[in-house]
Amino acid sequence: MNKKSLAALAVLGCFAASASAQSSLQIYGFADGGLEYVNSSIDGVASKFGLASGQQSGSRFGLKGSEALNGSLKLVFQLESGFAIDDGKTTMSMSDGSSRLFGREARLGLEGQFGSLNFGRFGTLGSGAGSVNMLDDADPFSTGFVDAGVQATQAFTVLRVDNAVAYKTPKLAGLQGGVMYSFATEGNEQAGADRNNRYSGVALTYGVGKLWAAASYEQIQPSQVNPTLADDEVFKLALNYDFGVIKPYLAYSHAEGAQKFGRLSLAGTGAKSDSYMLGLTAPLLGGKLMASVQYLDADLNSVLGEDAERTVASVGYDYPLSRRTN
């Protein structure tokens, strides 16, 4: 047993060193933390200053690998866990409070000339999160930087789902399509499809030269165990063009009963909202300047008895200290 374990470690070490290897394995991760000051304007909520994890993107570690099968066909997998750098706790838990080992992603798939087919838990097509999503360039802040990113006003059906299958076409003349379905968004599937919260989504991207555009439509069909809940629907559009000296971004989102926008959860309420974003990135002094303005108009009469508006202005600067640290 010990000899087999040592042999496996030796083989894994060879994968990274051999250019002709038919298999690969990569260990990766982010450690992201910093000081954060939040000045609250809400009555009864105190301002705070302290150490915070996941300022730019969530701290994580993971494994991903591939193995060549026949011809261009390739087997791939990815396991990714999230944690907080300030206290070491997992940042991935289920609604019942139980922890997940690989809450960010647990994916097995096939890739080839036909495109890619993936199974498991991963980010939804319009989430901007994970390796399967298709709206990864919709925001100057890359859906990161806490409330600076487009997630502060744009609605999401759900960020990640369990029990999912996703197919993405190969790119043809700059076009790529994707479809995704989850048999149960959290936990094991219950007998009877209508006893599970189900996700479905479609997305289309177009990228030629310096132009990139994307559209997505996503829906949550709630379990009929509670038939009073409404379907959650989100439609998104995103566009950017890299002029070199500046890269402007445009984004729009319309939602009906989305799970949440910003830090407000509206799952199953049927509330409607429209979100708009204008942003840019530009090279500056060896780094990158990021800026955006967002506006949210939400109809919350069915929830709070009133409408709500939110305006978010964000500015940031990203400077690389090395290839791996910024």
Side-chain angles (χ1 to χ4, degrees):
M1 186 65 180
N2 291 336
K3 291 182 179 179
K4 289 182 179 179
S5 299
L6 291 173
L9 290 173
V11 171
L12 296 179
C14 290
F15 288 157
S18 174
S20 61
Q22 296 300 303
S23 299
S24 67
L25 178 66
Q26 179 184 356
I27 301 174
Y28 68 94
F30 297 152
D32 187 316
L35 295 173
E36 179 183 68
Y37 173 68
V38 178
N39 182 14
S40 177
S41 60
I42 302 174
D43 291 342
V45 179
S47 300
K48 68 173 185 176
F49 174 73
L51 189 64
S53 178
Q55 298 293 281
Q56 176 178 338
S57 54
S59 298
R60 69 197 73 169
F61 68 89
L63 299 168
K64 59 182 176 181
S66 65
E67 182 177 9
L69 300 176
N70 296 321
S72 63
L73 190 62
K74 183 169 60 174
L75 178 71
V76 298
F77 80 92
Q78 186 165 355
L79 303 172
E80 186 173 285
S81 181
F83 64 93
I85 198 69
D86 51 350
D87 59 13
K89 294 180 180 179
T90 179
T91 56
M92 296 288 145
S93 59
M94 301 180 68
S95 58
D96 62 4
S98 60
S99 297
R100 295 179 182 269
L101 178 58
F102 297 111
R104 295 186 64 92
E105 192 152 329
R107 175 176 62 92
L108 183 67
L110 290 170
E111 296 179 355
Q113 294 180 348
F114 70 94
S116 64
L117 183 63
N118 288 284
F119 306 88
R121 172 177 169 81
F122 35 81
T124 58
L125 292 179
S127 65
S131 56
V132 176
N133 96 87
M134 298 183 68
L135 268 70
D136 52 354
D137 197 19
D139 177 11
F141 293 89
S142 302
T143 61
F145 293 92
V146 199
D147 285 334
V150 74
Q151 69 275 4
T153 59
Q154 275 202 2
F156 293 89
T157 52
V158 63
L159 191 62
R160 297 177 177 88
V161 292
D162 301 340
N163 308 299
V165 55
Y167 169 68
K168 293 166 68 173
T169 70
K171 291 183 180 180
L172 181 62
L175 284 170
Q176 184 176 34
V179 293
M180 181 172 166
Y181 183 78
S182 167
F183 295 90
T185 59
E186 184 182 67
N188 294 330
E189 302 98 321
Q190 300 297 312
D194 62 358
R195 296 181 63 84
N196 302 283
N197 293 327
R198 290 147 289 151
Y199 162 91
S200 56
V202 294
L204 182 68
T205 63
Y206 177 74
V208 172
K210 298 179 179 180
L211 174 67
W212 182 85
S216 68
Y217 171 79
E218 299 173 285
Q219 181 186 57
I220 292 288
Q221 295 174 280
S223 165
Q224 292 306 301
V225 173
N226 188 351
T228 61
L229 296 179
D231 290 358
D232 296 331
E233 300 176 294
V234 176
F235 171 72
K236 294 181 180 180
L237 289 172
L239 175 72
N240 65 62
Y241 189 91
D242 191 351
F243 289 96
V245 294
I246 189 173
K247 184 177 180 179
Y249 288 76
L250 293 171
Y252 167 75
S253 171
H254 173 75
E256 297 192 12
Q259 292 278 333
K260 65 177 183 177
F261 49 78
R263 304 185 185 189
L264 178 62
S265 178
L266 299 173
T269 63
K272 298 180 181 180
S273 67
D274 291 281
S275 170
Y276 309 84
M277 188 274 292
L278 173 64
L280 64 87
T281 62
L284 178 65
L285 302 175
K288 180 175 69 173
L289 174 69
M290 304 167 290
S292 69
V293 176
Q294 304 176 56
Y295 174 71
L296 170 70
D297 182 15
D299 177 4
L300 301 182
N301 283 293
S302 61
V303 186
L304 303 178
E306 60 183 358
D307 291 340
E309 296 181 345
R310 188 181 195 191
T311 302
V312 179
S314 308
V315 61
Y317 181 69
D318 183 11
Y319 184 80
L321 298 174
S322 72
R323 290 180 59 188
R324 297 181 178 87
T325 302
N326 65 333

